[in-house]
Amino acid sequence: MPSAVQWQNAFNTGACDAALCRLYVTDDPAPHRQRYLELLECFTRQFGEREEVRLFSAPGRTELGGNHTDHQNGRVLAAAVTLDKLAAVSPQPQGAIKIASSSHPLPPIDWRDLAHYPAERGHSPSLIRGILAGFAREGYAAGGFLAYTDSGVPTGSGLSSSASFELLMGEILNRLYNEGTIPPVPLARLGQYAENEYFGKPCGLMDQMAAAVGNAVSIDFLCPQAPVVENIPCGFEKWGMSLYVVNTGGSHSDLTEDYAAIPREMREVAACFGCRTLREVAPGRFEAELPALRGRVSDRAILRAMHFFAENERVPRMAAALRQETPDAYLEEMLASGESSFFRLQNIFPADSGERSLALALSLCEELLKGAGGWRVHGGGFAGTVQALVPRALERDFCRRMSEVFGPRSCTALRIRPVGSCEFPFPG
């Protein structure tokens, strides 16, 4: 295995350029080459010269369709993006896990200690310990390592930096101690386990799956323990369009109840049919018995159920539009998804707050892109980000206007990444 010096020579001579261009979907490897060189320099400064240094990458993800459907065992459409987390790593099988970075250095972790520590809950050490516990539970090997990490996934961007970190940790352990034998779907499940059981966030599996698999992924959670995953090559650039997320800067504080109310109310409707989730309810039966639901559940719960049934059927059409490369069909479904989230799901602004940043961003998208592009809420909603597909001719005006309203770093361009979490290959 190469040392940091050998890696630096490979990057400096251009031997890694082809792999960089593929991973980051670019014709210009220079900025990515520099990022890896800086990572290696930081690793060496922190840990000294090591005989073996390995490089790992895990992407962020973007939700393309299936807004709030996964917790009802529904269908989702997501994609890995080229914004990623990196790690330079050296194994130390019997030693501790030591992770350093410029922004979030972490305390050493004994990889044998799988206890739940309340003080770690909600913080990165709990994710590492949760990954280790998941490995132990599944009978996989583990060990210690030294790592220096760098994040290119903007915080607050709705691109799931937590799933990216989980898959980065999982991929390191997979490659160092399991010869890379753990497939992407089980690796995603280990990330979800860490986030659910140790970090304390009851997330679905969409984020981890997209980060593990790469490209666009259509996922059907009808059988949650064995989801049906389809990998779909995707590149909006071929359509003459760019995918953006706009961070509105809205605060997520005090939104726990708003988020929790969505799955709770959907399950209330499902319970009226003797079911646990809406996916178990036949759409035709829901339509036929809708009048009788009034009074048993709130009208908002009924509207949210209507969103689920429509969105769940929309995801396969969006996936088909990607496969068949039919931009008009995709944009039509994207806009319908956004409209349903706004009026039926009602996750654009909190019920008991003056927060309206998402509504403002979506209204600006409509003004700038109507008849030419697409826009929708991105992710959980209530605050955070919106997603837009922007024709190249409108990009400059779109970014200028969004930056004027929401700040200079609010607009982030995304490219769909063809591979999920991985070890960067040493050339030759």
Side-chain angles (χ1 to χ4, degrees):
M1 285 293 178
S3 65
V5 171
Q6 289 172 308
W7 272 114
Q8 288 165 333
N9 289 338
F11 281 108
N12 282 322
T13 59
C16 296
D17 283 359
L20 289 171
C21 288
R22 178 173 180 268
L23 191 62
Y24 296 102
V25 194
T26 182
D27 295 326
D28 180 14
H32 306 287
R33 185 193 309 134
Q34 185 60 33
R35 184 177 170 219
Y36 278 80
L37 285 168
E38 290 173 1
L39 178 73
L40 289 161
E41 183 179 342
C42 289
F43 176 89
T44 302
R45 190 183 307 126
Q46 181 74 31
F47 299 114
E49 295 290 344
R50 297 279 162 173
E51 290 184 6
E52 178 182 346
V53 177
R54 299 167 73 167
L55 300 177
F56 295 87
S57 164
R61 72 94 186 97
T62 185
E63 175 199 281
L64 299 176
N67 194 218
H68 279 283
T69 53
D70 59 340
H71 51 68
Q72 298 299 300
N73 296 352
R75 303 180 180 103
V76 299
L77 184 67
V81 297
T82 55
L83 301 175
D84 64 348
K85 289 182 183 287
L86 297 179
V89 177
S90 184
Q92 49 173 12
Q94 300 307 313
I97 292 175
K98 297 181 180 180
I99 299 176
S101 72
S102 60
S103 55
H104 294 95
L106 300 176
I109 291 177
D110 183 347
W111 58 271
R112 304 170 188 86
D113 182 0
L114 308 180
H116 289 260
Y117 291 101
E120 290 182 352
R121 201 164 177 85
H123 301 284
S124 296
S126 68
L127 292 176
I128 301 168
R129 214 177 294 278
I131 292 286
L132 290 164
F135 268 65
R137 189 180 70 160
E138 298 299 322
Y140 298 129
F145 57 84
L146 308 174
Y148 199 97
T149 64
D150 174 76
S151 179
V153 183
T155 56
S157 62
L159 300 175
S160 194
S161 60
S162 59
S164 177
F165 182 76
E166 292 153 18
L167 268 295
L168 185 67
M169 294 299 106
E171 197 66 63
I172 291 169
L173 293 169
N174 183 24
R175 299 287 172 172
L176 293 188
Y177 298 113
N178 295 273
E179 299 182 345
T181 58
I182 307 174
V185 173
L187 206 59
R189 286 200 173 281
L190 291 167
Q192 183 197 26
Y193 173 81
E195 193 156 346
N196 290 173
E197 301 300 324
Y198 277 72
F199 188 82
K201 181 180 178 181
C203 68
L205 189 59
M206 177 184 72
D207 296 352
Q208 292 84 359
M209 196 76 81
V213 174
N215 270 321
V217 284
S218 174
I219 312 168
D220 190 338
F221 290 111
L222 177 61
C223 180
Q225 299 308 312
V228 178
V229 181
E230 180 189 3
N231 189 285
I232 307 171
C234 173
F236 295 112
E237 297 78 18
K238 294 182 294 184
W239 297 357
M241 309 186 86
S242 296
L243 187 67
Y244 280 89
V245 288
V246 180
N247 186 352
T248 66
S251 173
H252 286 85
S253 63
D254 300 323
L255 294 179
T256 301
E257 173 54 26
D258 291 281
Y259 291 123
I262 293 177
R264 183 178 68 242
E265 291 179 5
M266 288 185 176
R267 289 192 175 101
E268 287 172 359
V269 175
C272 293
F273 295 89
C275 299
R276 190 178 62 85
T277 67
L278 286 175
R279 187 63 187 277
E280 301 168 49
V281 180
R285 187 182 174 198
F286 169 78
E287 290 293 336
E289 298 187 27
L290 189 153
L293 291 173
R294 298 202 69 207
R296 298 181 65 190
V297 295
S298 69
D299 285 348
R300 189 175 71 173
I302 295 172
L303 285 165
R304 285 174 165 172
M306 293 173 70
H307 164 82
F308 169 81
F309 289 113
E311 188 81 346
N312 198 50
E313 293 302 317
R314 187 174 294 117
V315 167
R317 297 195 296 269
M318 296 183 79
L322 289 181
R323 282 193 303 271
Q324 297 161 12
E325 298 189 8
T326 50
D328 290 344
Y330 184 87
L331 287 172
E332 181 180 349
E333 299 295 349
M334 181 181 185
L335 290 167
S337 174
E339 186 175 271
S340 183
S341 292
F342 204 131
F343 294 105
R344 291 180 173 180
L345 185 62
Q346 299 179 44
N347 68 332
I348 304 306
F349 43 81
D352 301 320
S353 163
E355 173 66 60
R356 296 295 184 269
S357 57
L358 290 186
L360 176 58
L362 291 167
S363 296
L364 289 171
C365 285
E366 183 178 18
E367 284 187 4
L368 294 163
L369 302 176
K370 191 170 185 178
W375 56 92
R376 62 187 292 277
V377 66
H378 183 244
F382 299 112
T385 58
V386 301
Q387 183 185 79
L389 259 179
V390 183
R392 286 203 187 100
L394 299 179
E395 276 189 86
R396 181 175 297 178
D397 288 343
F398 179 85
C399 292
R400 177 186 57 78
R401 186 59 169 157
M402 290 299 179
S403 297
E404 287 174 350
V405 176
F406 298 110
R409 293 188 179 88
S410 59
C411 223
T412 302
L414 304 177
R415 283 180 175 252
I416 307 304
R417 167 168 152 155
V419 297
S421 57
C422 65
E423 179 173 5
F424 193 86
F426 188 76

